[in-house]
Amino acid sequence: GWRTSDNGIAMQWDLVDIVGLIANRTFIPPDVLPTTLDGWVAALVAQLGHNFAKLYHVDPDYADLPLTCSVDYVIGKKCGDILRWACMATGTWPRADAETGYLTAEPLWHQGNELTLDNLESYPVMRANDDLAAIIFTLNDGYDTKYVVSGNATTSSKTASVSNPFIKTRADALTAARLILS
């Protein structure tokens, strides 16, 4: 987007990628909710209008993974939250593809997530992730079952709680925990 200051000759441009365009947009559910990762990513991009409707890519090995929830879970939610939930439940991560600008959902270890020193303003600093004693999932199984996954340091005083409408089983929770802990 752009803005001018008092109609002066100076103009400031704020560049955002496709993830930035949808992140804070309130999701307007379609008549029929999607049932796969590909469907959810398509529905999120469609929130930007007809010109953006096809500007996405989902890794083919993950595109048909089932993702279902009630409309009550997504009404009034931000597109960025829904995208994060969908990717968390499927073991993928969202990004804007550097070559195409498309919204992309792919596994974390995919070759497209490489950073080179040319992309950075300064050299990276290495540090350990914060220690977590556990991740506590509230499963969307109809009973709001709590499922606890051990963290990377059981003596830590920190825990993380996850309430994701797409995480319904222990297997779903373990998939998400693997990404969170890595």
Side-chain angles (χ1 to χ4, degrees):
W2 59 273
R3 64 176 175 257
T4 61
S5 175
D6 300 325
N7 293 324
I9 60 171
M11 189 175 294
Q12 176 179 330
W13 291 88
D14 295 323
L15 299 177
V16 294
D17 61 18
I18 196 162
V19 175
L21 288 173
I22 67 169
N24 292 318
R25 184 178 294 265
T26 300
F27 183 69
I28 301 169
D31 293 336
V32 177
L33 286 181
T35 58
T36 63
L37 176 61
D38 186 77
W40 279 101
V41 173
L44 292 168
V45 172
Q47 301 290 305
L48 297 172
H50 180 71
N51 290 336
F52 288 86
K54 300 290 182 187
L55 301 182
Y56 73 94
H57 176 312
V58 177
D59 187 290
D61 293 334
Y62 293 77
D64 293 329
L65 290 178
L67 286 177
T68 59
C69 73
S70 163
V71 72
D72 298 334
Y73 287 106
V74 295
I75 292 243
K77 300 297 185 209
K78 300 290 183 192
C79 291
D81 291 332
I82 296 169
L83 178 61
R84 182 172 38 86
W85 292 336
C87 288
M88 180 190 294
T90 58
T92 58
W93 69 290
R95 68 180 181 91
D97 184 87
E99 292 180 16
T100 63
Y102 288 11
L103 178 61
T104 302
E106 61 190 9
L108 187 60
W109 53 88
H110 189 273
Q111 65 189 9
N113 63 4
E114 294 176 1
L115 285 177
T116 65
L117 291 177
D118 293 338
N119 301 57
L120 304 174
E121 292 179 9
S122 61
Y123 285 96
V125 176
M126 298 295 288
R127 68 175 179 84
N129 289 336
D130 290 338
D131 290 336
L132 280 176
I135 303 171
I136 304 164
F137 289 90
T138 302
L139 303 179
N140 183 13
D141 60 358
Y143 302 103
D144 289 335
T145 304
K146 301 288 185 199
Y147 179 60
V148 179
V149 177
S150 293
N152 55 1
T154 55
T155 58
S156 174
S157 62
K158 292 183 182 179
T159 61
S161 296
V162 175
S163 181
N164 179 333
F166 298 122
I167 295 179
K168 298 178 183 197
T169 66
R170 290 177 178 210
D172 296 340
L174 289 172
T175 297
R178 189 183 84 194
L179 286 180
I180 291 168
L181 292 172
S182 65

